[in-house]
């Protein structure tokens, strides 16, 4: 690659001097698979030779992830194609279902993350549950803005998903992320004493007795750190309060 944008990303990845797991195509060096995927996909995107006729897919990202992991894992051509097909199928289906709404709001390429994660999971031989977990991880990162078109950042919008998806799938495979819901129902934080609740409620600058009455029912629910459980419990308390006070 000879463009300035290509040089920037290649120099950035080369400077990592990381474990040589996969090659950066055409650049004569190897690096860790996530950063090889970042470089390969960005270099691929810089050419802007995309599947313009394919309405719902941008295959260059899935191709980059698949080639990078196939190189790293020394996979067969059959295995490469299996990952590639699953990634494109996932990307296309999600894009077809969501692109109208996301493009209208100036956002795009969320589907890229999901397609790349599916491909990465397949190539890393994750089972269906673990591929689903990898999809969940990258869903929280999926983003893209149309206003970046015409800037150098535009080329990274495919590179970053590829890096994130390879990394997510590797973390799932290595057991860093497990298929187990943590018990976040409560912690050992002591309960608020009733007199503390009463003192707090009475100190509020409000003349609405119903507000104080509701708070006296909600605050005991917060006597421990309930996380999501507390929200569900509070919703129940409020609903019961409304029904009772009608």
């Amino acid at each position: 690659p000879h463009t300035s944008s290509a040089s920037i990303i290649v120099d950035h990845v080369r400077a990592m001097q990381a474990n040589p797991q996969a090659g950066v195509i055409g650049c004569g060096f190897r690096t860790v698979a996530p950063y090889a995927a970042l470089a390969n996909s960005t270099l691929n995107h810089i050419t802007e030779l995309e599947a313009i006729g394919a309405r719902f897919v941008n295959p260059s990202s899935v191709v980059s992830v698949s080639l990078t992991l196939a190189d790293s894992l020394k996979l067969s051509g059959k295995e490469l194609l299996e990952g590639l097909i699953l990634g494109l199928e996932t990307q296309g289906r999600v894009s077809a279902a969501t692109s109208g709404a996301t493009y209208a709001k100036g956002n795009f390429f969320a589907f890229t993350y999901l397609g790349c994660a599916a491909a990465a999971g397949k190539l890393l031989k994750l089972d269906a549950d673990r591929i689903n977990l990898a999809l969940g991880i990258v869903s929280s990162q999926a983003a893209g803005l149309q206003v970046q078109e015409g800037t150098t950042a535009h080329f990274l919008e495919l590179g970053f998903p590829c890096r994130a998806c390879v990394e997510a799938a590797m973390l799932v495979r290595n057991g860093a992320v497990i298929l187990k819901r943590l018990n976040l129902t409560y912690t050992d934080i002591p309960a608020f004493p009733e007199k503390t609740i009463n003192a707090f409620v009475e100190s509020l600058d409000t003349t609405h007795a119903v507000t104080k009455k509701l708070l006296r029912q909600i605050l005991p629910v917060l006597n421990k750190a309930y996380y999501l459980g507390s929200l569900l419990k509070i919703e129940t308390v409020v609903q019961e309060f409304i029904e009772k006070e009608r």
Side-chain angles (χ1 to χ4, degrees):
H2 299 293
T3 70
S4 59
S5 297
S7 297
I8 290 170
I9 193 65
V10 169
D11 291 346
H12 171 72
V13 172
R14 194 196 306 270
M16 300 290 179
Q17 297 183 345
N19 185 24
Q21 296 175 340
V24 177
I25 298 173
C27 297
F29 73 96
R30 299 173 72 82
T31 186
V32 288
Y35 273 88
L38 166 65
N40 287 332
S41 185
T42 304
L43 295 176
N44 200 339
H45 193 25
I46 283 172
T47 65
E48 294 286 15
L49 297 175
E50 300 167 3
I52 303 300
R55 182 181 176 191
F56 296 120
V57 295
N58 195 319
S60 63
S61 55
V62 179
V63 168
S64 297
V65 164
S66 300
L67 290 176
T68 298
L69 282 175
D71 178 23
S72 175
L73 301 169
K74 305 296 186 287
L75 300 180
S76 67
K78 177 178 180 294
E79 291 169 316
L80 167 62
L81 287 174
E82 288 175 346
L84 185 61
I85 291 168
L86 179 62
L88 292 175
E89 183 77 7
T90 302
Q91 186 189 76
R93 287 178 179 271
V94 174
S95 176
T98 64
S99 61
T102 55
Y103 268 73
K105 295 179 179 179
N107 304 317
F108 63 127
F109 286 123
F111 58 86
T112 299
Y113 283 81
L114 301 179
C116 290
K122 181 67 176 179
L123 292 165
L124 285 164
K125 295 180 169 51
L126 303 183
D127 61 24
D129 286 336
R130 285 173 170 76
I131 291 178
N132 190 50
L133 185 55
L135 292 172
I137 294 170
V138 300
S139 292
S140 65
Q141 305 173 56
L145 298 174
Q146 291 180 4
V147 295
Q148 292 181 344
E149 291 185 348
T151 71
T152 302
H154 170 65
F155 301 131
L156 294 171
E157 68 197 12
L158 295 186
F160 283 170
C162 293
R163 182 189 66 185
C165 293
V166 170
E167 202 156 39
M170 291 174 70
L171 285 168
V172 172
R173 182 195 63 175
N174 296 338
V177 182
I178 58 176
L179 283 166
K180 179 181 178 181
R181 289 199 176 277
L182 301 179
N183 181 9
L184 298 179
T185 304
Y186 62 88
T187 67
D188 294 328
I189 299 172
F192 296 137
E194 186 176 352
K195 64 179 182 180
T196 301
I197 293 175
N198 288 333
F200 171 74
V201 171
E202 292 304 322
S203 70
L204 296 175
D205 184 18
T206 177
T207 58
H208 298 288
V210 68
T211 300
K212 293 183 177 182
K213 191 174 182 180
L214 176 58
L215 282 172
R216 282 195 173 93
Q217 294 191 36
I218 290 178
L219 288 175
V221 179
L222 298 178
N223 62 4
K224 293 181 181 291
Y226 277 86
Y227 300 99
L228 179 59
S230 70
L231 300 179
L232 298 176
K233 179 64 176 176
I234 289 171
E235 182 180 10
T236 300
V237 170
V238 172
Q239 289 293 337
E240 291 176 351
F241 181 83
I242 290 172
E243 292 298 323
K244 183 177 179 181
E245 293 299 316
R246 280 179 174 173

